[in-house]
Amino acid sequence: MKLLKDKVMAEGIVLGDQVLKVDSFLNHQMDPNLMKEIGREFVQRFEGQKITKILTIESSGIAPAIMTALELNVPMIFARKNKSLTLKNDIFVEKVYSFTKRETNEITVSKKFMHSNDNVLIIDDFLANGEAAFGLARIVQQSGANVVGIGIVIEKSFQPGAKLLQEAGFKLESLVKIASLENNTVTFVEE
Amino acid sequence: MKLLKDKVMAEGIVLGDQVLKVDSFLNHQMDPNLMKEIGREFVQRFEGQKITKILTIESSGIAPAIMTALELNVPMIFARKNKSLTLKNDIFVEKVYSFTKRETNEITVSKKFMHSNDNVLIIDDFLANGEAAFGLARIVQQSGANVVGIGIVIEKSFQPGAKLLQEAGFKLESLVKIASLENNTVTFVEE
């Protein structure tokens, strides 16, 4: 997605070999028109899939997910992150480890909003190790619903998440794929 | 806002005298078309104010805020919530107490994204005691920017936040005002 690549080149800040900071348009300040275009692009990439729900995780996934939901005219659900919970019967729970924060969170979705006849598109801002995406997919699977695919705004292709998700059989669409952040430079995957 | 009142009546769940659960369209599952209409309504209510930025707080404020930002074609910033931080020079920090969660969080906004020439509209999903709204307003004031006003999706008018914000001189626009949740019933403020 050229618009997004241009934005990464213009405003992305490389912090070491692993971290790309994009807090001017995606993770803290957000560009609403870019979010709208991202939503449209996801809808194109998953065209013809009869999506009934969008699922993301708080917080940075919410804006791209709501724009995708708007374009498709379907509900969006954001999974909540919690340190730990007393077990409840009315929620789906999965554990997700964050390598960045070095902590495990429980992510939850209410059973009221996901059912076995749903076709769910998972959306998230970043893909690195794939922990969040796998956690969201396991929640969809718990509900008996179908994972239509996984849409990612920025994939760090040099980390294992993308390969692992594809090996697990998920249709993965990443709008921007980053091959490397070495030498303080963003190098995109050639396509 | 009639559309929102209807949604509250149809799907809101009263949990005791203080808590209205609206997780089917605002706090967990979200209705994207309703979010779009909410964005339009906020823009109408603050018409002519030369808004340059929308400010909200993660997580449930993000969807209404990004739709408002889209309608106005201005950036949206969501303040981040943290348990506590080592002091940094490049962020504005304010403490916000949550009565619901009985904990104090630090909310932060990067100094890069808010400046003294900004006219900032604050958006949030709920107004109860006003802690979050006041915290966001103090962050805007720290930056030297102007608080254009505060837009709230659901105001619980029987709690002190609305009165306190108006007494402090803020222009407050709440799309739905709830007078009481007593007797397991939603009673709106008559307008």
Side-chain angles (χ1 to χ4, degrees):
Chain A
M1 189 182 175
K2 186 175 181 307
L3 184 64
L4 191 58
K5 270 189 180 174
D6 292 348
K7 202 86 173 176
V8 169
M9 289 310 288
E11 300 183 21
I13 297 167
V14 180
L15 297 176
D17 289 357
Q18 306 280 314
V19 179
L20 175 69
K21 203 171 170 187
V22 287
D23 67 352
S24 70
F25 61 92
L26 184 61
N27 291 142
H28 180 34
Q29 179 172 259
M30 291 180 149
D31 175 336
N33 287 299
L34 179 65
M35 293 302 135
K36 193 176 180 188
E37 291 305 319
I38 284 171
R40 284 188 176 156
E41 180 80 17
F42 280 134
V43 171
Q44 280 180 21
R45 299 222 185 177
F46 292 96
E47 213 178 342
Q49 302 279 326
K50 297 198 176 156
I51 295 158
T52 62
K53 297 262 163 75
I54 305 293
L55 177 64
T56 189
I57 185 164
E58 57 183 348
S59 291
S60 301
I62 293 175
I66 196 82
M67 291 299 180
T68 310
L70 182 69
E71 194 72 16
L72 288 170
N73 194 22
V74 300
M76 181 276 268
I77 301 161
F78 67 92
R80 292 198 167 271
K81 261 181 236 170
N82 304 280
K83 277 284 172 298
S84 81
L85 285 168
T86 46
L87 204 64
K88 286 184 187 170
N89 288 324
D90 57 349
I91 51 174
F92 301 116
V93 183
E94 287 289 340
K95 285 196 198 309
V96 168
Y97 179 72
S98 164
F99 285 86
T100 338
K101 296 185 180 167
R102 290 179 197 174
E103 64 183 24
T104 298
N105 282 295
E106 288 184 338
I107 66 169
T108 63
V109 168
S110 167
K111 290 183 181 176
K112 282 191 292 183
F113 305 129
M114 199 166 290
H115 305 103
S116 58
N117 56 350
D118 274 317
N119 284 313
V120 181
L121 173 61
I122 293 169
I123 297 283
D124 207 1
D125 59 334
F126 264 96
L127 175 60
N129 293 287
E131 291 289 317
F134 271 111
L136 292 169
R138 286 193 304 270
I139 280 187
V140 177
Q141 289 161 343
Q142 271 198 53
S143 78
N146 173 46
V147 179
V148 165
I150 298 167
I152 298 291
V153 181
I154 299 179
E155 172 189 308
K156 293 191 284 183
S157 311
F158 57 89
Q159 287 179 291
K163 190 159 175 282
L164 292 172
L165 288 169
Q166 285 165 329
E167 283 173 358
F170 294 111
K171 177 173 165 59
L172 174 67
E173 289 285 345
S174 302
L175 305 189
V176 156
K177 295 181 187 175
I178 293 173
S180 157
L181 294 170
E182 286 174 22
N183 305 317
N184 211 29
T185 304
V186 178
T187 310
F188 295 107
V189 173
E190 286 184 39
E191 291 182 88
Chain B
M1 188 181 175
K2 187 174 181 307
L3 183 65
L4 191 59
K5 270 190 180 174
D6 292 348
K7 201 86 173 178
V8 169
M9 289 310 287
E11 301 182 20
I13 297 167
V14 180
L15 298 175
D17 289 356
Q18 307 280 313
V19 179
L20 176 68
K21 203 172 169 186
V22 288
D23 66 352
S24 70
F25 62 91
L26 184 62
N27 290 142
H28 181 34
Q29 179 171 259
M30 292 181 148
D31 176 335
N33 287 299
L34 180 65
M35 292 302 135
K36 192 176 180 187
E37 291 306 318
I38 284 172
R40 284 188 177 156
E41 180 79 18
F42 280 134
V43 171
Q44 280 180 21
R45 299 221 184 177
F46 292 96
E47 213 178 341
Q49 301 280 326
K50 297 197 176 158
I51 295 159
T52 61
K53 298 261 163 74
I54 305 294
L55 177 64
T56 189
I57 185 165
E58 57 183 348
S59 291
S60 301
I62 293 175
I66 196 82
M67 291 300 180
T68 311
L70 182 68
E71 194 73 17
L72 288 170
N73 194 22
V74 299
M76 181 275 268
I77 302 162
F78 67 92
R80 292 197 166 272
K81 261 181 235 168
N82 305 280
K83 277 284 171 298
S84 80
L85 286 168
T86 46
L87 203 64
K88 286 184 189 172
N89 288 324
D90 56 349
I91 51 174
F92 301 116
V93 184
E94 287 290 340
K95 284 194 198 311
V96 168
Y97 179 72
S98 165
F99 285 86
T100 338
K101 296 186 180 167
R102 291 180 196 172
E103 64 183 24
T104 298
N105 282 296
E106 287 184 339
I107 65 169
T108 63
V109 168
S110 166
K111 290 184 181 175
K112 281 191 292 183
F113 305 130
M114 198 166 291
H115 305 103
S116 57
N117 56 350
D118 274 317
N119 283 313
V120 181
L121 173 60
I122 293 169
I123 298 283
D124 207 0
D125 57 335
F126 264 96
L127 175 61
N129 293 287
E131 292 288 317
F134 271 111
L136 292 170
R138 288 194 302 271
I139 279 188
V140 177
Q141 289 161 342
Q142 272 198 53
S143 77
N146 173 45
V147 179
V148 165
I150 298 168
I152 298 291
V153 180
I154 299 178
E155 173 189 307
K156 292 192 286 183
S157 311
F158 57 89
Q159 288 180 291
K163 190 160 176 283
L164 292 172
L165 287 170
Q166 284 164 330
E167 283 173 359
F170 294 111
K171 177 173 165 59
L172 174 68
E173 288 286 345
S174 303
L175 304 189
V176 156
K177 295 180 188 175
I178 294 173
S180 158
L181 295 171
E182 286 173 23
N183 304 317
N184 211 28
T185 304
V186 178
T187 310
F188 295 107
V189 173
E190 286 185 40
E191 291 183 89

